[in-house]
Amino acid sequence: MSHNTTTLSDLAPGEVGVVHKLAGGWGFTSRLATLGFTPGAKLTMVQNFGRGPLIVNIRSTRIALGRGEAAKVVVTKE
């Protein structure tokens, strides 16, 4: 990963990122793409306590993801 790419699970609340890629299997990428996690989509971290699920605002929708899922979403920090 380059200096400004990270995983979704590493974003702090209020940080903004753009989906770079989904690093998972076909079922995972298909499900997240359906939820709006497609390359180029802008998102804002709403809640991330460092454990448990986190909440992301993407395409005007709040979505809760588990930490394992969030670790497979590669984002570029804005």
Side-chain angles (χ1 to χ4, degrees), residues 8-50:
L8 184 58
S9 57
D10 289 334
L11 286 184
E15 279 192 304
V16 176
V18 175
V19 177
H20 180 64
K21 69 176 181 176
L22 301 175
W26 182 85
F28 170 79
T29 55
S30 175
R31 191 174 79 79
L32 261 70
T34 301
L35 292 172
F37 289 86
T38 54
K42 197 170 185 177
L43 55 84
T44 305
M45 179 60 67
V46 177
Q47 177 181 298
N48 185 355
F49 293 129

